Amino acid sequence: MRKPRLNEAVIIGYASYVWFTLTIDPEFFYNSIAENPASMYAMYTAFLGSQTNLALFSLALALANIGVLFTRNYVIRVITSITGIVYFTILAASYIFSYPNLGLGLSAIMIVILIFDVNRLIDEYAESKKKEIFNCNFNGGTEDE
């Protein structure tokens, strides 16, 4: 198991918070929408269809980010990071369409950090492949040596 990066910790924490909140109070968004139809919760549920879908998506994302802490597979890590980008893009879009505030700024910052992390993972993968090819050639042409 490796130590989580800051962006992974934020995704795990925020997605777990959303899942926990929506599981404890299954009517939370619906009550907020009834009080203020222009709230970000209306857009949040419009993007994902329902509060239940959001809770399940949040749980799946949190578990996926916990799961990638136990793997070195770059493809799985990139896919999980891209899913995090989608998650925070939905959050940022819900702020844009309701009322831009600090949440939009924080979501936008998180999206940029996640994009940089995907680029870093791709660079690490390319570097590991380069080292693998170099070691294979240096060791006489077989990867088993």
Side-chain angles (χ1 to χ4, degrees):
M1 180 177 167
R2 64 179 174 78
K3 183 174 93 172
R5 299 180 53 84
L6 175 64
N7 60 328
E8 291 167 331
V10 169
I11 290 173
I12 292 167
Y14 188 78
S16 297
Y17 152 75
V18 170
W19 169 77
F20 184 75
T21 300
L22 298 180
T23 301
I24 296 297
D25 186 2
E27 299 298 316
F28 178 73
F29 280 7
Y30 302 128
N31 293 336
S32 297
I33 293 168
E35 292 174 15
N36 181 8
S39 72
M40 69 156 284
Y41 300 120
M43 293 311 301
Y44 217 12
T45 54
F47 279 117
L48 290 165
S50 72
Q51 181 174 307
T52 303
N53 290 347
L54 177 59
L56 293 175
F57 185 45
S58 298
L59 176 63
L61 183 61
L63 292 176
N65 274 275
I66 291 169
V68 298
L69 298 176
F70 296 95
T71 185
R72 293 180 186 254
N73 186 316
Y74 286 102
V75 175
I76 293 171
R77 291 173 64 191
V78 167
I79 290 170
T80 303
S81 292
I82 290 171
T83 306
I85 292 170
V86 169
Y87 185 81
F88 276 94
T89 301
I90 291 170
L91 180 63
S94 66
Y95 280 113
I96 289 171
F97 291 118
S98 58
Y99 51 92
N101 61 15
L102 181 62
L104 173 61
L106 293 175
S107 298
I109 290 169
M110 193 61 201
I111 291 167
V112 170
I113 290 170
L114 284 166
I115 290 171
F116 277 116
D117 190 54
V118 168
N119 287 329
R120 182 193 54 79
L121 284 171
I122 291 169
D123 290 345
E124 281 181 19
Y125 177 70
E127 189 66 28
S128 73
K129 284 297 183 187
K130 183 174 80 174
K131 285 180 183 177
E132 184 179 304
I133 290 169
F134 179 75
N135 288 338
C136 178
N137 289 334
F138 185 71
N139 291 329
T142 62
E143 294 181 23
D144 295 335
E145 294 178 2

